[in-house]
Amino acid sequence: MKLKIPSWIGTTIGLLSMGMMPALGAEQIKFSYSLLEFSLPVTDLKTYAQEGKISSQLASYKKHLKPEDIAQLRQVLTEKQKLSPVAVSQFLYSEIGESMLKSAGELIQTDSRQNGFYAIRAALILAAADPEGLTLLNTMRYFPSQSIRINTEELFALMNKLSTLNKETNQALSVIDRQSTTEASTEPPVDISKLPELYNKSGPFSWQKKAIAFVDTNRKSLTGSIKTRVIQTDIYLPKSQSSAPVVVISHGLGSDRESFAYLAENLASYGFAVVVPQHPGSDSLQMEALLTGKSQQVFADTELIDRPLDVTFILDQLGTSKK
């Protein structure tokens, strides 16, 4: 009797090909389906990655994958991530890293059906320290278990969550699209050809840069206590202009106010006043503290609240000083 391989197994291999499962078992990847169990030798993946040959067992999974996924799988298996073992270790020992590992470990388990938390972390760190570098195949080599088990219940739950999230996202985008189309229809047409090309060359204005430390002595924490927050800020002001439209550039996590200096300079040359704050607690200094072991957090949850408050505080201060 020939067993029919469930389509979810092919979907799981598809997730592998998209890099959603960064560390899987040493010799076999095992899937449980009702009373049946299916497995895929890691050597089959290695042979495919290195030689492009698809074994008969891998071929049985292939038919459940999209053509673009199986084509991408070979690259994903051998693609090297340029990360140092220190950086990988510091991140995986941070609160966010451990939270991610715990969630991944519910899906990616050891041969004894235990959460793969510690196994995944060890494999990633050891693979990053290996001369061959951090690759999916190399990570499998260091996974401390002869096989890996995919928790099917968690897999189904994950797929349902992703499906629901995708539907909700599409619904939200549809509403935004309709609203933007309605608003755009009430606006007069814009001749784009007459607009300045801000990205090609500098504008006609000279500008000056000012560095200001804004001090918020009345910032409230989540517990209601008052804290002081110092926000180092660069302001780019165009010359020969009494007033100017204001643009605020808020840097990304782990970055700083120098990251977008080129953009701020260019906008200032076209007559914009550009405000570039540096958010303490989620900037490059915080990332450096994480990588050197001085902090176990990528950033505190409160930064998601404090960052927009930084912008509001600075604009309020600028408005007050102008008066």
Side-chain angles (χ1 to χ4, degrees):
M1 175 180 174
K2 185 176 181 180
L3 295 175
K4 181 180 178 182
I5 298 173
S7 61
W8 63 264
I9 293 182
T11 303
T12 303
I13 302 298
L15 292 177
L16 277 170
S17 70
M18 292 182 286
M20 294 181 65
M21 297 179 183
L24 295 179
E27 296 181 3
Q28 288 186 327
I29 305 170
K30 293 183 177 180
F31 309 89
S32 298
Y33 182 69
S34 186
L35 299 178
L36 304 176
E37 185 172 88
F38 304 88
S39 64
L40 174 66
V42 172
T43 52
D44 286 12
L45 291 175
K46 183 177 181 181
T47 300
Y48 172 64
Q50 296 178 346
E51 304 175 20
K53 296 179 180 179
I54 298 179
S55 67
S56 58
Q57 196 160 358
L58 182 56
S60 64
Y61 296 114
K62 177 185 174 183
K63 60 185 179 183
H64 299 287
L65 299 176
K66 296 178 181 179
E68 57 268 27
D69 288 343
I70 192 65
Q72 187 184 10
L73 176 58
R74 188 176 183 185
Q75 177 185 351
V76 171
L77 286 169
T78 57
E79 186 175 4
K80 184 183 296 186
Q81 303 299 322
K82 296 181 180 179
L83 297 170
S84 72
V86 174
V88 172
S89 177
Q90 291 293 350
F91 175 73
L92 295 180
Y93 275 91
S94 69
E95 290 184 5
I96 291 181
E98 290 191 341
S99 177
M100 291 174 61
L101 285 171
K102 185 177 180 180
S103 297
E106 291 295 327
L107 176 62
I108 305 169
Q109 300 179 341
T110 64
D111 196 28
S112 58
R113 302 181 188 275
Q114 297 298 311
N115 186 296
F117 179 101
Y118 295 105
I120 297 171
R121 181 160 66 184
L124 287 171
I125 295 173
L126 291 172
D130 190 277
E132 295 181 9
L134 181 58
T135 66
L136 180 55
L137 279 176
N138 205 22
T139 304
M140 292 178 186
R141 229 179 75 197
Y142 285 105
F143 197 90
S145 178
Q146 290 187 347
S147 61
I148 189 72
R149 291 184 179 274
I150 301 300
N151 185 327
T152 57
E153 291 184 3
E154 289 295 326
L155 175 62
F156 288 141
L158 173 62
M159 293 174 66
N160 288 332
K161 287 180 181 179
L162 291 175
S163 177
T164 301
L165 180 61
N166 184 55
K167 290 179 181 178
E168 292 176 348
T169 300
N170 289 334
Q171 290 173 355
L173 290 176
S174 178
V175 172
I176 294 172
D177 183 60
R178 289 198 302 269
Q179 183 176 345
S180 61
T181 300
T182 301
E183 292 179 358
S185 64
T186 63
E187 296 292 329
V190 177
D191 187 351
I192 298 178
S193 64
K194 294 183 179 180
L195 297 177
E197 296 183 1
L198 302 181
Y199 54 86
N200 275 342
K201 58 182 178 180
S202 297
F205 293 97
S206 57
W207 50 270
Q208 59 181 339
K209 174 182 174 182
K210 293 184 178 181
I212 302 177
F214 291 93
V215 183
D216 186 352
T217 58
N218 197 37
R219 183 68 60 88
K220 290 184 178 180
S221 66
L222 292 179
T223 60
S225 60
I226 303 300
K227 60 182 180 180
T228 297
R229 188 170 171 92
V230 180
I231 313 156
Q232 301 293 341
T233 306
D234 289 336
I235 300 178
Y236 299 77
L237 295 171
K239 295 181 180 179
S240 304
Q241 194 164 290
S242 57
S243 62
V246 178
V247 174
V248 178
I249 300 177
S250 177
H251 66 76
L253 299 174
S255 186
D256 55 43
R257 64 189 188 279
E258 293 295 329
S259 301
F260 294 97
Y262 70 95
L263 179 59
E265 293 171 2
N266 199 53
L267 289 172
S269 73
Y270 279 95
F272 294 92
V274 187
V275 180
V276 191
Q278 181 159 330
H279 304 287
S282 59
D283 58 4
S284 57
L285 296 177
Q286 175 63 23
M287 187 58 64
E288 182 180 346
L290 173 69
L291 296 179
T292 56
K294 296 179 181 178
S295 173
Q296 289 189 319
Q297 286 185 312
V298 177
F299 63 89
D301 295 342
T302 52
E303 282 300 305
L304 298 175
I305 299 173
D306 280 323
R307 287 171 66 93
L309 289 179
D310 289 345
V311 175
T312 300
F313 178 76
I314 292 171
L315 292 179
D316 287 344
Q317 292 298 302
L318 291 174
T320 301
S321 63
K322 185 176 180 181
K323 296 176 182 179

